[in-house]
Amino acid sequence: MSERFETMAVHAGYEPEPATGAVMPPVYQVSTFAQRSPGQGTGYEYARTDNPTRTPLQRALAELEGAEHALVFSSGLAATDAVLNTLKAGDHVLAGNDLYGGTYRLFSRVAVDRGLTFDFVDLQSCELEDAFRPNTRLVWFETPTNPLLNIIDIRRVAGIAHTHGALVAVDNTFMSPYFQNPLKLGADIVMHSMTKYLNGHSDVVMGCLMTSNDELYARLKFLQNAVGGVPGPWDCYLALRGIRTLALRMKAHGENAMAVANWLSQDRRIERVAYPGLAGHPGHDIAKRQASGFGGMVTFFVNGGLEDARRMLERVKLFTLAESLGGVESLIEHPAIMTHASIPPEQRAAIGISDTLVRASVGIEHPDDLIADLDQALG
């Protein structure tokens, strides 16, 4: 029987535990497992390699993303670094020029010391073909991008990359599997910072990778164990608990974000709104084609200067001024000072991260209350 996403989110990855009938997996707070004979165990040997609470979470993630395999890591950056560890010194990576600041820092200040080379390019450009080199092995990007919410055509980029023998990895954090499935559009790897929408309650830091490439999975599984950046069983339990309400939460996030974006776009105190759900967004048609919704993130530019943006952010009451996103509560932040401060100022300016740019993670509160909060904060 073919199940819809809402049903899969509730049931994916786990059947009631046969010994007790527990409808959620127990938290196996254990580091090692007894063996019947040397080398003959139950399938679990040491909790860095595998844990019975982690296993159903990975199965659930694979089901929801439409992948054959999923692996979880201690953070989204640990998952990203595992992908980089499949490469070798001298390999070249093409990355989107609008990235989460932590990803940019990992690429430009850590991975380069291991001999990898990077170019940060506009993946919407018609000249994308010219950016590839003979040693390009990976294309990494987000869509929608963070924080400008640009839309990258996954199918187009994957088609070009594959003709050059490069793998394609898509950071799908902003959309979650509910709205977008990059593997179905040609991507080879999907990454999520599970800290955000997948867990959804701002109480877990975790990342994951999904793929349907068996050879790539085997390499990533080896790296997950060999490097050891894995989450503990309690975090895995919490993340699986969060996934059970993913469909309900994402529907509310998307509806609320659309309401907030529409209101902001008509307010004279706002210079411009970037939300893919608005018909005037340059990536609106691509977003409609490759996703089933537009997500819960809204970026906007306040009229005035830095002090006007700062004053608005200091006055919010329902929105919480904080980094991160994807929780049930609404968050708001200033990328140039907060999440993207690790990107050099000249590069921020070049891609459009200005001092008046504000990024909002629209939660599941009543949209009228959120709009009223922004209204009073803008003054």
Side-chain angles (χ1 to χ4, degrees), residues 27-283:
V27 179
Y28 288 91
Q29 193 68 51
V30 58
S31 62
T32 192
F33 301 85
Q35 300 186 18
R36 293 184 294 270
S37 180
Q40 296 182 15
T42 61
Y44 296 95
E45 300 169 355
Y46 190 62
R48 185 188 69 247
T49 308
D50 275 310
N51 178 283
T53 312
R54 191 197 311 166
T55 299
L57 172 59
Q58 293 181 152
R59 284 200 299 254
L61 290 167
E63 277 191 59
L64 294 177
E65 193 64 75
E68 292 296 320
H69 313 285
L71 295 165
V72 292
F73 295 81
S74 55
S75 69
L77 284 171
T80 303
D81 195 48
V83 176
L84 297 181
N85 278 331
T86 65
L87 307 176
K88 64 182 186 300
D91 285 348
H92 175 245
V93 178
L94 275 181
N97 64 349
D98 182 17
L99 289 176
Y100 164 53
T103 305
Y104 178 84
R105 180 178 57 226
L106 173 64
F107 288 1
S108 64
R109 298 177 60 184
V110 178
V112 291
D113 292 335
R114 301 201 295 255
L116 300 181
T117 59
F118 295 84
D119 281 316
F120 299 91
V121 299
D122 179 4
L123 293 174
Q124 303 169 93
S125 168
C126 297
E127 287 76 41
L128 178 58
E129 285 268 10
D130 299 336
F132 283 84
R133 304 180 189 174
N135 60 333
T136 302
R137 298 290 177 263
L138 176 69
V139 181
W140 180 283
F141 62 97
E142 308 159 359
T143 184
T145 62
N146 182 6
L148 294 170
L149 302 185
N150 293 317
I151 300 298
I152 310 300
D153 188 331
I154 298 172
R155 196 181 298 279
R156 171 180 173 265
V157 173
I160 296 172
H162 291 157
T163 64
H164 290 270
L167 295 174
V168 172
V170 176
D171 181 339
N172 200 31
T173 298
F174 272 22
M175 295 300 274
S176 90
Y178 179 76
F179 283 132
Q180 183 170 268
N181 303 115
L183 294 178
K184 295 178 180 177
L185 298 167
D188 302 288
I189 304 168
V190 171
M191 193 284 289
H192 290 267
S193 172
M194 294 177 61
T195 311
K196 281 70 174 186
Y197 289 111
L198 282 170
N199 177 62
H201 292 81
S202 299
D203 54 9
V204 165
V205 174
M206 192 183 297
C208 65
L209 299 172
M210 282 85 105
T211 185
S212 293
N213 182 317
D214 294 342
E215 183 179 348
L216 184 57
Y217 165 73
R219 177 62 179 161
L220 290 167
K221 174 62 181 169
F222 169 82
L223 290 165
Q224 182 196 47
N225 180 55
V227 179
V230 295
W234 178 243
D235 284 353
C236 290
Y237 174 87
L238 289 174
L240 189 56
R241 174 219 57 182
I243 283 172
R244 298 316 191 202
T245 60
L246 179 63
L248 295 173
R249 290 186 287 105
M250 294 309 298
K251 183 174 184 292
H253 285 301
E255 291 174 351
N256 285 0
M258 181 66 84
V260 167
N262 276 322
W263 179 82
L264 287 168
S265 68
Q266 297 169 36
D267 193 282
R268 60 180 176 76
R269 295 164 293 184
I270 302 302
E271 177 188 342
R272 180 166 64 88
V273 180
Y275 182 66
L278 298 176
H281 188 286

